[in-house]
Amino acid sequence: MNETLPKPNLVPLDFQSVSDENEQKRRADDFYRNLNNRRTVREFSARDVPFELIEKAILTAGTAPSGAHMQPWRFVVVRDPSVKARIREAAEKEEYESYHNRMSEKWLRRLAPLGTDEHKPFLEIAPFLIVVFRINSIVENGESEPTYYSQESVGIAVGMLLAALHNCGLATLTHTPSPMKFLQEILGRPKNEVPFVLIPVGYPAENAKVPDLKRKPLAEIMTIV
């Protein structure tokens, strides 16, 4: 090993073991049942959400593993109505181009059962928008360095964020208008922070509906070797 490299500082693992197999199975089943009820929501209520729930969910997402422990994520929480309006206007502009000029017929056919189009009122109705940015580089000691496995790391963190928000009774939508550079500009983020996903968060509208979709069974998503 290179003698100039810092030595690891290792501490005892704090791991809460569950020794009872039945308890393990119960926890696994409860967690699955909870997450299996998670749905992408496009019809939100304007009802306010306690900000503490947003903070705790982001703290949970921040526990995700990351390449070289660089934690290459930034969670920008938007609740200012004027900023949400600007985001909606810019997003709908890009989405119009996508639906009318960029997307292939095959892509549009895939989207048709979801009932989506370029209109995104949820960007203003949902009480919070969480915009997740991927930090692709840092400057340390005057030198620039890339973040390692940042795409994978942020993807894992977003998955944990969605699970955390659902766990506390909130609805979400993963919105990825493309391109998303307008988010960087509207929110005043530096060039090394790249928009990854835009997540409206809140409670579902009283009579919210979702597409009648079926998830793939275990046999189609798992292979044993």
Side-chain angles (χ1 to χ4, degrees), residues 2-218:
N2 190 327
E3 300 264 343
T4 63
L5 294 178
K7 298 186 184 304
N9 179 29
L10 304 180
V11 296
L13 172 65
D14 181 11
F15 183 78
Q16 303 299 318
S17 179
V18 181
S19 57
D20 184 84
E21 188 174 306
N22 290 327
E23 174 64 9
Q24 288 179 308
K25 291 178 179 178
R26 184 193 67 78
R27 291 190 184 191
D29 189 61
D30 287 349
F31 191 69
Y32 164 71
R33 289 177 184 275
N34 185 19
L35 267 293
N36 194 40
N37 285 327
R38 188 204 59 77
R39 292 299 305 267
T40 292
V41 171
R42 292 181 173 84
E43 297 175 319
F44 284 86
S45 164
R47 175 184 165 196
D48 197 19
V49 169
F51 187 63
E52 292 79 5
L53 298 181
I54 304 298
E55 288 182 312
K56 193 64 69 174
I58 291 175
L59 275 174
T60 301
T63 70
S66 61
H69 193 56
M70 297 189 78
Q71 305 169 81
W73 40 67
R74 178 84 62 209
F75 302 91
V76 178
V77 181
V78 182
R79 56 181 172 184
D80 185 320
S82 64
V83 178
K84 290 196 291 183
R86 290 177 62 198
I87 289 174
R88 178 185 178 182
E89 181 181 6
E92 288 186 335
K93 181 179 179 181
E94 294 296 348
E95 290 288 78
Y96 180 88
E97 286 300 315
S98 292
Y99 277 89
H100 293 271
N101 299 311
R102 296 171 181 154
M103 292 179 179
S104 66
E105 185 177 346
K106 289 182 179 179
W107 192 348
L108 291 171
R109 187 176 292 113
R110 289 286 183 179
L111 291 175
L114 306 180
T116 63
D117 58 26
E118 68 270 23
H119 302 292
K120 309 298 178 184
F122 49 75
L123 292 175
E124 288 191 88
I125 297 172
F128 288 103
L129 305 179
I130 301 177
V131 186
V132 185
F133 289 84
R134 176 178 65 87
I135 300 173
N136 61 19
S137 65
I138 63 169
V139 175
E140 196 170 85
N141 299 323
E143 295 185 357
S144 179
E145 180 182 7
T147 54
Y148 306 107
Y149 299 101
S150 62
Q151 193 80 5
E152 296 85 348
S153 301
V154 177
I156 295 169
V158 167
M160 293 179 66
L161 176 63
L162 295 174
L165 291 166
H166 177 77
N167 187 58
C168 58
L170 297 174
T172 58
L173 164 69
T174 48
H175 184 43
T176 52
S178 181
M180 292 192 286
K181 187 178 179 181
F182 67 87
L183 291 170
Q184 194 177 47
E185 296 168 351
I186 291 174
L187 299 174
R189 304 313 306 167
K191 291 182 179 180
N192 68 326
E193 294 186 12
V194 181
F196 189 85
V197 67
L198 167 57
I199 305 175
V201 182
Y203 298 105
E206 186 174 347
N207 298 310
K209 293 183 178 180
V210 294
D212 184 16
L213 304 177
K214 308 298 179 187
R215 292 188 169 100
K216 291 182 179 180
L218 185 63

